[in-house]
Coordinates of all heavy atoms in Angstrom, one line a residue:
M1 N -10.9 7.2 -10.3 CA -10.0 7.0 -11.6 C -10.7 6.0 -12.5 O -11.2 5.0 -12.0 CB -8.7 6.7 -11.0 CG -7.9 5.7 -11.7 SD -6.2 5.7 -11.2 CE -5.5 4.9 -12.6
P2 N -10.7 6.2 -13.8 CA -11.3 5.3 -14.7 C -10.8 3.9 -14.7 O -9.6 3.7 -14.5 CB -11.1 5.9 -16.1 CG -10.6 7.3 -15.9 CD -10.0 7.4 -14.5
E3 N -11.7 2.9 -14.8 CA -11.3 1.5 -14.7 C -10.2 1.1 -15.7 O -9.5 0.2 -15.5 CB -12.5 0.6 -14.9 CG -13.4 0.5 -13.6 CD -12.7 -0.2 -12.5 OE1 -12.2 -1.3 -12.7 OE2 -12.6 0.3 -11.4
D4 N -10.3 1.8 -16.9 CA -9.4 1.3 -18.0 C -8.0 2.0 -18.0 O -7.2 1.7 -18.8 CB -10.1 1.5 -19.4 CG -10.6 2.9 -19.6 OD1 -10.6 3.7 -18.6 OD2 -11.0 3.3 -20.7
K5 N -7.9 3.0 -17.1 CA -6.6 3.7 -17.1 C -5.6 2.9 -16.3 O -5.8 2.4 -15.2 CB -6.8 5.1 -16.4 CG -5.5 6.0 -16.5 CD -5.9 7.3 -15.9 CE -4.6 8.2 -15.9 NZ -3.7 7.9 -14.8
P6 N -4.3 2.7 -16.9 CA -3.3 1.9 -16.2 C -3.0 2.5 -14.8 O -2.9 3.8 -14.7 CB -2.1 1.9 -17.1 CG -2.6 2.4 -18.4 CD -3.8 3.2 -18.2
V7 N -2.8 1.7 -13.8 CA -2.4 2.2 -12.5 C -0.9 2.3 -12.4 O -0.2 1.4 -12.8 CB -2.9 1.3 -11.4 CG1 -2.8 1.9 -10.0 CG2 -4.4 0.9 -11.6
S8 N -0.4 3.4 -11.8 CA 1.1 3.6 -11.7 C 1.4 3.7 -10.2 O 0.7 4.4 -9.5 CB 1.4 4.9 -12.5 OG 2.5 5.5 -11.9
F9 N 2.5 3.1 -9.9 CA 3.0 3.2 -8.5 C 3.3 4.7 -8.2 O 2.7 5.3 -7.2 CB 4.2 2.4 -8.2 CG 4.7 2.6 -6.8 CD1 4.0 2.0 -5.7 CD2 5.9 3.3 -6.5 CE1 4.5 2.2 -4.4 CE2 6.3 3.5 -5.2 CZ 5.6 2.9 -4.1
A10 N 4.1 5.3 -9.0 CA 4.5 6.7 -8.7 C 3.4 7.7 -8.7 O 3.3 8.5 -7.8 CB 5.6 7.1 -9.7
A11 N 2.5 7.5 -9.7 CA 1.4 8.5 -9.8 C 0.2 8.3 -8.9 O -0.4 9.2 -8.4 CB 1.0 8.6 -11.3
D12 N -0.1 7.0 -8.7 CA -1.4 6.7 -8.0 C -1.3 6.0 -6.7 O -2.1 6.3 -5.8 CB -2.2 5.7 -8.9 CG -2.4 6.2 -10.3 OD1 -2.8 7.3 -10.5 OD2 -2.0 5.5 -11.3
I13 N -0.2 5.2 -6.5 CA -0.1 4.4 -5.2 C 0.7 5.1 -4.2 O 0.3 5.3 -3.0 CB 0.4 3.0 -5.5 CG1 -0.5 2.3 -6.5 CG2 0.5 2.2 -4.2 CD1 -1.9 2.0 -6.1
R14 N 1.9 5.5 -4.6 CA 2.8 6.1 -3.6 C 2.2 7.3 -2.9 O 2.4 7.4 -1.6 CB 4.1 6.5 -4.3 CG 5.1 7.4 -3.5 CD 5.6 6.5 -2.3 NE 6.4 7.3 -1.4 CZ 6.0 8.1 -0.4 NH1 4.6 8.2 -0.2 NH2 6.8 8.7 0.4
P15 N 1.4 8.2 -3.6 CA 0.8 9.3 -2.9 C -0.2 8.9 -1.8 O -0.6 9.8 -0.9 CB 0.1 10.1 -4.0 CG 0.8 9.7 -5.2 CD 1.2 8.3 -5.0
L16 N -0.7 7.7 -1.8 CA -1.6 7.3 -0.8 C -1.0 7.0 0.6 O -1.7 7.0 1.6 CB -2.4 6.0 -1.2 CG -3.2 6.2 -2.5 CD1 -3.8 4.8 -2.9 CD2 -4.3 7.2 -2.3
F17 N 0.3 6.8 0.6 CA 1.0 6.5 1.9 C 1.4 7.9 2.5 O 2.0 8.7 1.8 CB 2.3 5.7 1.6 CG 1.9 4.3 1.2 CD1 2.4 3.8 -0.1 CD2 1.2 3.4 1.9 CE1 2.1 2.6 -0.6 CE2 0.9 2.1 1.5 CZ 1.4 1.7 0.2
R18 N 1.1 8.1 3.7 CA 1.5 9.3 4.4 C 3.0 9.1 4.9 O 3.5 8.0 5.0 CB 0.6 9.5 5.7 CG -0.9 9.6 5.3 CD -1.7 9.5 6.6 NE -1.4 8.2 7.3 CZ -1.8 8.0 8.6 NH1 -2.5 8.8 9.2 NH2 -1.5 6.8 9.2
D19 N 3.6 10.3 5.2 CA 5.0 10.2 5.7 C 5.0 9.3 7.0 O 6.0 8.5 7.1 CB 5.5 11.6 6.1 CG 5.7 12.5 4.9 OD1 5.7 11.9 3.7 OD2 5.9 13.7 5.0
I20 N 4.0 9.4 7.8 CA 4.0 8.6 9.1 C 3.9 7.1 8.8 O 4.6 6.3 9.5 CB 2.9 9.1 10.0 CG1 3.1 8.6 11.4 CG2 1.5 8.8 9.5 CD1 2.1 9.1 12.4
D21 N 3.2 6.8 7.7 CA 3.1 5.3 7.3 C 4.5 4.9 6.9 O 5.0 3.8 7.3 CB 2.2 5.1 6.2 CG 0.8 5.6 6.5 OD1 0.3 5.4 7.6 OD2 0.1 6.1 5.6
V22 N 5.1 5.6 6.0 CA 6.4 5.3 5.5 C 7.5 5.1 6.6 O 8.2 4.2 6.7 CB 6.9 6.3 4.4 CG1 8.3 6.1 4.0 CG2 5.9 6.3 3.2
E23 N 7.5 6.1 7.5 CA 8.5 6.1 8.5 C 8.3 5.0 9.6 O 9.3 4.3 9.9 CB 8.5 7.5 9.2 CG 9.1 8.6 8.4 CD 8.7 10.0 8.7 OE1 8.1 10.2 9.8 OE2 8.8 10.9 7.9
H24 N 7.1 4.8 10.0 CA 6.8 3.7 11.0 C 7.1 2.4 10.4 O 7.7 1.5 11.0 CB 5.4 3.7 11.5 CG 5.1 4.6 12.6 ND1 5.3 4.3 13.9 CD2 4.7 5.9 12.6 CE1 5.0 5.3 14.7 NE2 4.6 6.3 14.0
M25 N 6.7 2.2 9.2 CA 6.8 0.8 8.6 C 8.3 0.6 8.2 O 8.7 -0.6 8.2 CB 5.9 0.6 7.4 CG 4.4 0.5 7.9 SD 4.1 -0.5 9.3 CE 4.8 -2.0 8.8
R26 N 9.0 1.6 7.8 CA 10.4 1.4 7.5 C 11.2 0.8 8.7 O 12.0 -0.1 8.5 CB 11.1 2.8 7.1 CG 12.5 2.6 6.6 CD 13.2 4.0 6.4 NE 12.6 4.7 5.3 CZ 12.2 6.0 5.3 NH1 12.4 6.7 6.4 NH2 11.7 6.5 4.2
D27 N 10.8 1.3 9.9 CA 11.5 0.8 11.1 C 11.2 -0.7 11.3 O 11.9 -1.4 11.9 CB 10.9 1.5 12.3 CG 11.4 3.0 12.4 OD1 12.3 3.3 11.6 OD2 10.8 3.7 13.2
L28 N 10.1 -1.2 10.7 CA 9.7 -2.6 10.8 C 10.1 -3.4 9.5 O 9.7 -4.5 9.4 CB 8.2 -2.7 11.0 CG 7.7 -2.1 12.3 CD1 6.1 -2.2 12.4 CD2 8.3 -2.9 13.5
G29 N 10.8 -2.7 8.6 CA 11.4 -3.4 7.5 C 10.4 -3.5 6.3 O 10.6 -4.3 5.4
V30 N 9.3 -2.8 6.4 CA 8.3 -2.7 5.3 C 8.5 -1.4 4.6 O 8.2 -0.3 5.1 CB 6.9 -2.9 5.8 CG1 5.9 -2.8 4.7 CG2 6.7 -4.2 6.5
L31 N 9.0 -1.4 3.3 CA 9.5 -0.2 2.7 C 8.4 0.3 1.7 O 8.4 0.0 0.5 CB 10.8 -0.5 1.9 CG 11.9 -1.1 2.8 CD1 13.1 -1.3 2.0 CD2 12.2 -0.3 4.0
L32 N 7.4 1.0 2.2 CA 6.2 1.4 1.4 C 6.6 2.4 0.3 O 5.9 2.5 -0.7 CB 5.2 2.1 2.4 CG 4.6 1.2 3.4 CD1 3.7 2.0 4.4 CD2 3.8 0.0 2.8
D33 N 7.7 3.1 0.4 CA 8.1 4.1 -0.6 C 9.1 3.6 -1.5 O 9.6 4.4 -2.4 CB 8.6 5.4 0.1 CG 9.8 5.2 0.9 OD1 10.2 4.0 1.2 OD2 10.5 6.2 1.2
D34 N 9.5 2.3 -1.4 CA 10.6 1.8 -2.2 C 10.0 0.9 -3.3 O 9.5 -0.2 -3.0 CB 11.5 1.0 -1.2 CG 12.7 0.4 -1.9 OD1 12.6 0.1 -3.1 OD2 13.7 0.1 -1.2
Y35 N 10.1 1.4 -4.5 CA 9.4 0.6 -5.6 C 10.0 -0.8 -5.7 O 9.2 -1.8 -5.9 CB 9.6 1.3 -7.0 CG 9.0 0.5 -8.1 CD1 7.6 0.4 -8.2 CD2 9.8 -0.1 -9.0 CE1 7.0 -0.4 -9.1 CE2 9.2 -0.9 -10.0 CZ 7.8 -1.1 -10.1 OH 7.3 -1.9 -11.0
A36 N 11.3 -1.0 -5.6 CA 11.9 -2.3 -5.8 C 11.3 -3.3 -4.7 O 11.1 -4.4 -5.0 CB 13.4 -2.2 -5.6
Y37 N 11.1 -2.8 -3.5 CA 10.6 -3.6 -2.4 C 9.1 -3.9 -2.7 O 8.7 -5.1 -2.7 CB 10.7 -2.9 -1.1 CG 10.1 -3.6 0.1 CD1 10.8 -4.6 0.8 CD2 8.7 -3.4 0.4 CE1 10.1 -5.2 1.9 CE2 8.1 -4.1 1.4 CZ 8.8 -5.0 2.1 OH 8.2 -5.7 3.1
I38 N 8.3 -2.9 -2.9 CA 6.9 -3.1 -2.8 C 6.4 -3.7 -4.1 O 5.3 -4.3 -4.2 CB 6.1 -1.8 -2.5 CG1 4.7 -2.0 -2.0 CG2 6.1 -0.8 -3.7 CD1 4.1 -0.8 -1.4
S39 N 7.2 -3.7 -5.2 CA 6.8 -4.3 -6.5 C 7.1 -5.8 -6.5 O 6.7 -6.5 -7.4 CB 7.4 -3.6 -7.6 OG 8.8 -3.8 -7.6
E40 N 7.8 -6.3 -5.4 CA 7.9 -7.8 -5.3 C 6.6 -8.3 -4.9 O 6.0 -7.9 -3.9 CB 9.0 -8.1 -4.3 CG 10.3 -8.5 -4.9 CD 11.3 -8.9 -3.8 OE1 10.9 -9.8 -3.0 OE2 12.4 -8.4 -3.8
R41 N 6.1 -9.3 -5.7 CA 4.7 -9.7 -5.5 C 4.4 -10.1 -4.1 O 3.3 -9.7 -3.6 CB 4.4 -10.9 -6.5 CG 3.0 -11.4 -6.4 CD 2.0 -10.3 -6.9 NE 0.7 -10.6 -6.6 CZ -0.3 -10.9 -7.5 NH1 0.0 -10.8 -8.8 NH2 -1.5 -11.2 -7.2
A42 N 5.2 -10.8 -3.4 CA 4.9 -11.3 -2.0 C 4.8 -10.1 -1.1 O 3.9 -10.0 -0.2 CB 6.0 -12.2 -1.5
N43 N 5.6 -9.0 -1.3 CA 5.5 -7.8 -0.5 C 4.2 -7.1 -0.8 O 3.6 -6.6 0.1 CB 6.8 -6.9 -0.7 CG 8.0 -7.6 -0.2 OD1 8.0 -8.4 0.7 ND2 9.2 -7.2 -0.8
A44 N 3.9 -7.0 -2.1 CA 2.7 -6.3 -2.5 C 1.5 -7.0 -1.9 O 0.5 -6.3 -1.4 CB 2.6 -6.2 -4.0
D45 N 1.5 -8.3 -1.9 CA 0.4 -9.1 -1.4 C 0.2 -8.8 0.1 O -0.9 -8.7 0.7 CB 0.5 -10.6 -1.6 CG 0.2 -10.9 -3.1 OD1 -0.5 -10.2 -3.8 OD2 0.7 -12.0 -3.5
N46 N 1.4 -8.8 0.8 CA 1.3 -8.6 2.3 C 0.8 -7.2 2.6 O 0.1 -7.0 3.6 CB 2.7 -8.8 2.9 CG 3.1 -10.2 2.9 OD1 2.3 -11.1 3.0 ND2 4.4 -10.5 3.0
V47 N 1.2 -6.2 1.8 CA 0.7 -4.8 2.1 C -0.8 -4.8 1.8 O -1.5 -4.2 2.6 CB 1.5 -3.8 1.2 CG1 0.8 -2.4 1.2 CG2 2.9 -3.7 1.7
L48 N -1.2 -5.4 0.8 CA -2.7 -5.4 0.5 C -3.5 -6.1 1.6 O -4.5 -5.6 2.1 CB -3.0 -6.2 -0.8 CG -4.4 -6.3 -1.2 CD1 -5.1 -4.9 -1.4 CD2 -4.6 -7.1 -2.5
A49 N -2.9 -7.2 2.1 CA -3.6 -7.9 3.2 C -3.6 -7.0 4.5 O -4.6 -7.0 5.2 CB -2.9 -9.2 3.6
A50 N -2.6 -6.2 4.7 CA -2.5 -5.3 5.9 C -3.5 -4.2 5.7 O -4.2 -3.8 6.6 CB -1.1 -4.7 6.0
L51 N -3.7 -3.7 4.5 CA -4.7 -2.6 4.2 C -6.1 -3.1 4.5 O -6.9 -2.3 4.9 CB -4.5 -2.1 2.8 CG -3.2 -1.3 2.5 CD1 -3.0 -1.1 1.0 CD2 -3.2 0.1 3.2
K52 N -6.3 -4.4 4.1 CA -7.7 -4.9 4.3 C -7.9 -5.4 5.7 O -9.0 -5.7 6.1 CB -7.9 -6.1 3.3 CG -7.9 -5.7 1.9 CD -7.8 -7.0 1.1 CE -8.6 -7.3 0.0 NZ -8.3 -8.6 -0.7
G53 N -6.8 -5.7 6.4 CA -6.9 -6.3 7.8 C -7.2 -7.8 7.7 O -7.7 -8.4 8.6
D54 N -6.7 -8.4 6.6 CA -6.9 -9.9 6.4 C -6.0 -10.6 7.4 O -4.8 -10.7 7.2 CB -6.5 -10.3 5.0 CG -7.6 -10.1 4.0 OD1 -8.8 -9.7 4.4 OD2 -7.3 -10.2 2.8
G55 N -6.6 -11.2 8.4 CA -5.9 -12.1 9.4 C -4.9 -11.3 10.2 O -4.0 -11.9 10.8
Q56 N -5.0 -10.0 10.3 CA -4.0 -9.2 11.1 C -4.6 -7.9 11.4 O -5.7 -7.6 10.9 CB -2.7 -9.0 10.2 CG -3.0 -8.3 8.9 CD -1.8 -8.4 8.0 OE1 -0.8 -7.8 8.1 NE2 -1.9 -9.3 7.0
T57 N -3.9 -7.1 12.2 CA -4.4 -5.7 12.5 C -4.5 -4.9 11.2 O -3.5 -4.9 10.5 CB -3.3 -5.0 13.5 OG1 -3.2 -5.8 14.6 CG2 -3.8 -3.7 13.9
Q58 N -5.6 -4.3 11.0 CA -5.7 -3.5 9.8 C -4.8 -2.3 9.9 O -4.7 -1.6 11.0 CB -7.2 -3.1 9.6 CG -7.4 -2.4 8.3 CD -8.9 -2.1 8.0 OE1 -9.8 -2.4 8.8 NE2 -9.2 -1.7 6.8
M59 N -4.2 -1.9 8.8 CA -3.2 -0.8 8.8 C -3.9 0.4 8.1 O -4.7 0.2 7.2 CB -2.0 -1.2 8.0 CG -1.1 -2.2 8.7 SD -0.2 -1.4 10.1 CE -0.5 -2.7 11.3
P60 N -3.5 1.6 8.5 CA -2.7 1.9 9.6 C -3.5 1.7 10.9 O -4.7 1.8 10.9 CB -2.4 3.4 9.4 CG -3.5 4.0 8.6 CD -3.9 2.8 7.7
P61 N -2.7 1.2 12.0 CA -3.4 0.9 13.2 C -4.3 2.1 13.7 O -3.9 3.2 13.7 CB -2.3 0.7 14.2 CG -1.1 0.4 13.4 CD -1.3 1.1 12.1
H62 N -5.6 1.7 14.0 CA -6.6 2.7 14.4 C -7.0 3.7 13.3 O -7.8 4.6 13.6 CB -6.1 3.5 15.7 CG -5.4 2.7 16.7 ND1 -6.1 1.7 17.4 CD2 -4.1 2.7 17.1 CE1 -5.2 1.1 18.2 NE2 -4.0 1.7 18.1
G63 N -6.6 3.4 12.1 CA -7.1 4.2 11.0 C -6.4 5.6 10.9 O -5.4 5.8 11.6
P64 N -6.8 6.5 10.0 CA -7.9 6.2 9.1 C -7.6 5.2 8.0 O -6.5 5.2 7.4 CB -8.1 7.6 8.4 CG -6.7 8.3 8.5 CD -6.1 7.8 9.8
Y65 N -8.5 4.2 7.9 CA -8.3 3.1 6.9 C -8.5 3.6 5.5 O -9.2 4.6 5.3 CB -9.2 1.9 7.3 CG -9.0 1.5 8.7 CD1 -10.1 1.4 9.6 CD2 -7.8 1.1 9.1 CE1 -9.9 1.0 10.9 CE2 -7.6 0.7 10.5 CZ -8.7 0.7 11.3 OH -8.5 0.3 12.6
W66 N -7.9 2.9 4.6 CA -8.1 3.3 3.2 C -9.5 3.0 2.8 O -10.2 2.0 3.3 CB -7.2 2.5 2.3 CG -5.7 3.0 2.3 CD1 -5.1 3.7 3.2 CD2 -4.7 2.7 1.3 NE1 -3.8 3.9 2.9 CE2 -3.5 3.3 1.7 CE3 -4.7 2.0 0.1 CZ2 -2.4 3.3 0.9 CZ3 -3.6 1.9 -0.7 CH2 -2.4 2.6 -0.2
S67 N -10.1 3.8 1.9 CA -11.4 3.6 1.4 C -11.5 2.3 0.6 O -10.4 1.8 0.1 CB -11.9 4.8 0.6 OG -11.2 4.8 -0.6
V68 N -12.7 1.8 0.3 CA -12.9 0.6 -0.5 C -12.3 0.9 -1.9 O -11.6 0.1 -2.5 CB -14.4 0.3 -0.7 CG1 -14.7 -0.7 -1.8 CG2 -15.0 -0.1 0.7
E69 N -12.5 2.2 -2.4 CA -11.9 2.5 -3.7 C -10.4 2.5 -3.7 O -9.8 2.1 -4.7 CB -12.4 3.9 -4.1 CG -13.9 4.0 -4.4 CD -14.8 4.0 -3.2 OE1 -14.3 4.3 -2.0 OE2 -16.0 3.8 -3.3
Q70 N -9.8 3.0 -2.7 CA -8.3 3.0 -2.6 C -7.8 1.6 -2.5 O -6.8 1.3 -3.2 CB -7.9 3.9 -1.4 CG -8.1 5.4 -1.6 CD -7.9 6.2 -0.3 OE1 -8.2 5.7 0.8 NE2 -7.3 7.4 -0.5
I71 N -8.4 0.8 -1.7 CA -8.0 -0.6 -1.6 C -8.1 -1.3 -3.0 O -7.3 -2.1 -3.4 CB -8.7 -1.4 -0.5 CG1 -8.2 -0.8 0.9 CG2 -8.4 -2.9 -0.5 CD1 -8.9 -1.3 2.1
A72 N -9.2 -1.0 -3.7 CA -9.5 -1.6 -5.0 C -8.4 -1.2 -6.0 O -7.9 -2.0 -6.8 CB -10.9 -1.3 -5.5
L73 N -8.0 0.1 -5.9 CA -7.0 0.6 -6.8 C -5.6 -0.1 -6.5 O -4.9 -0.5 -7.4 CB -6.8 2.1 -6.5 CG -5.9 2.9 -7.5 CD1 -6.5 2.8 -8.9 CD2 -5.7 4.3 -7.0
F74 N -5.3 -0.3 -5.2 CA -4.0 -1.0 -4.9 C -4.1 -2.4 -5.4 O -3.1 -2.9 -6.0 CB -3.8 -1.0 -3.4 CG -2.4 -1.5 -3.0 CD1 -1.4 -0.6 -2.8 CD2 -2.2 -2.9 -2.8 CE1 -0.1 -1.1 -2.5 CE2 -0.9 -3.3 -2.5 CZ 0.1 -2.4 -2.3
S75 N -5.3 -3.1 -5.3 CA -5.4 -4.4 -5.8 C -5.3 -4.5 -7.3 O -4.7 -5.4 -7.8 CB -6.8 -4.9 -5.3 OG -7.1 -6.2 -5.7
R76 N -5.9 -3.5 -8.0 CA -5.8 -3.5 -9.4 C -4.3 -3.3 -9.8 O -3.8 -3.9 -10.8 CB -6.6 -2.3 -10.0 CG -6.8 -2.3 -11.4 CD -8.2 -1.7 -11.8 NE -8.4 -0.3 -11.6 CZ -8.0 0.6 -12.4 NH1 -7.3 0.3 -13.5 NH2 -8.3 1.9 -12.2
W77 N -3.5 -2.5 -9.1 CA -2.1 -2.3 -9.3 C -1.4 -3.6 -9.2 O -0.5 -3.9 -10.0 CB -1.6 -1.2 -8.4 CG -0.1 -1.0 -8.5 CD1 0.6 -0.4 -9.5 CD2 0.9 -1.4 -7.6 NE1 1.9 -0.4 -9.3 CE2 2.1 -1.0 -8.1 CE3 0.9 -2.0 -6.3 CZ2 3.3 -1.2 -7.4 CZ3 2.0 -2.3 -5.7 CH2 3.3 -1.9 -6.2
V78 N -1.7 -4.4 -8.2 CA -1.0 -5.7 -8.0 C -1.4 -6.6 -9.1 O -0.5 -7.3 -9.7 CB -1.4 -6.3 -6.6 CG1 -0.8 -7.7 -6.4 CG2 -1.0 -5.4 -5.4
D79 N -2.7 -6.7 -9.5 CA -3.1 -7.5 -10.6 C -2.4 -7.2 -11.9 O -2.3 -8.0 -12.8 CB -4.6 -7.5 -10.7 CG -5.4 -8.2 -9.6 OD1 -4.7 -8.9 -8.9 OD2 -6.6 -7.9 -9.4
A80 N -2.1 -5.9 -12.0 CA -1.5 -5.4 -13.3 C 0.0 -5.8 -13.3 O 0.7 -5.4 -14.3 CB -1.7 -3.9 -13.5
G81 N 0.5 -6.4 -12.2 CA 2.0 -6.7 -12.2 C 2.8 -5.7 -11.5 O 4.0 -5.6 -11.7
C82 N 2.2 -4.8 -10.7 CA 2.9 -3.8 -9.9 C 3.8 -2.9 -10.8 O 5.0 -2.7 -10.6 CB 3.8 -4.4 -8.9 SG 3.0 -5.5 -7.7
P83 N 3.2 -2.2 -11.8 CA 3.9 -1.3 -12.7 C 4.4 -0.1 -12.0 O 3.8 0.4 -11.1 CB 2.9 -1.0 -13.8 CG 1.6 -1.2 -13.2 CD 1.7 -2.3 -12.2
P84 N 5.6 0.5 -12.5 CA 6.1 1.6 -11.8 C 5.3 2.9 -12.0 O 5.4 3.8 -11.1 CB 7.5 1.9 -12.5 CG 7.4 1.1 -13.8 CD 6.4 0.0 -13.6
Ligands
LIG1 C1 3.3 -6.0 5.2 C2 2.4 -5.1 5.6 C3 2.3 -4.5 7.0 C4 2.6 -5.2 8.2 C5 3.0 -6.6 8.4 C6 2.4 -4.2 9.2 C7 2.6 -4.4 10.6 C8 2.7 -3.4 11.5 C9 3.0 -3.7 12.9 C10 3.3 -5.0 13.5 C11 3.0 -2.4 13.5 C12 3.3 -2.1 15.0 C13 2.3 -2.7 16.0 C14 1.0 -2.0 15.9 O1 0.9 -0.8 16.1 O2 0.0 -2.7 15.5 C15 2.7 -1.4 12.6 C16 2.6 -0.1 12.8 C17 2.2 0.9 11.9 N1 1.8 0.6 10.6 FE1 1.9 -1.2 9.6 N2 2.1 -3.0 8.7 C18 2.0 -3.2 7.3 C19 1.6 -2.2 6.4 C20 1.2 -0.9 6.7 C21 0.6 0.0 5.8 C22 0.3 -0.4 4.3 C23 0.4 1.2 6.4 C24 -0.2 2.4 5.9 C25 -1.1 2.5 4.9 C26 0.9 1.0 7.8 C27 0.9 2.0 8.7 C28 1.4 1.8 10.0 C29 1.6 2.9 11.0 C30 1.3 4.4 10.8 C31 2.1 2.3 12.2 C32 2.4 3.0 13.5 C33 1.2 3.1 14.4 C34 1.5 3.7 15.7 O3 2.6 3.6 16.2 O4 0.6 4.4 16.2 N3 1.4 -0.3 7.9 N4 2.5 -2.1 11.4

């Protein structure tokens, strides 16, 4: 996706989470499909750290891990202020 195009949660980020990701993480209180939850900066930062495996088990456990491009897109979305 072009670097200058605004990143949207609904259009670009939400589709990257599989049903199994949403369901497993909901049980642990991490609401990957809930815009109000994931757009809170602290939650978005924690999800980004989990996707990268910074200081914790990389998510999803055992992969398939997000590509460098997908992680960069999530990071760009966070930097943009987590727009809907
Ligand atoms: C705040 C961010 C996150 C935290 C703290 C977190 C933590 C955890 C923990 C503790 C488990 C259970 C133990 C384990 O299997 O290692 C787990 C399971 C899982 N997580 Fe996450 N996770 C986060 C984000 C994510 C994200 C972003 C994804 C997907 C892109 C994801 C996908 C999964 C899946 C699919 C499982 C179930 C694995 C299985 O049972 O085989 N998680 N997560």
Side-chain angles (χ1 to χ4, degrees):
M1 139 167 202
E3 279 294 308
D4 53 349
K5 188 174 177 283
V7 190
S8 148
F9 178 72
D12 306 309
I13 302 298
R14 173 64 187 85
L16 297 176
F17 297 117
R18 305 166 302 169
D19 290 348
I20 193 175
D21 300 326
V22 171
E23 285 158 18
H24 274 274
M25 292 316 303
R26 185 186 294 133
D27 292 345
L28 297 175
V30 177
L31 309 181
L32 298 173
D33 64 341
D34 181 333
Y35 177 71
Y37 173 91
I38 202 167
S39 63
E40 257 184 52
R41 183 61 191 249
N43 294 333
D45 283 341
N46 286 337
V47 169
L48 179 59
L51 290 167
K52 291 166 135 176
D54 279 350
Q56 58 194 285
T57 304
Q58 187 171 5
M59 291 287 134
H62 317 296
Y65 304 122
W66 284 20
S67 68
V68 169
E69 290 77 16
Q70 289 171 324
I71 292 175
L73 187 66
F74 191 92
S75 180
R76 191 146 70 82
W77 176 71
V78 175
D79 287 345
C82 306

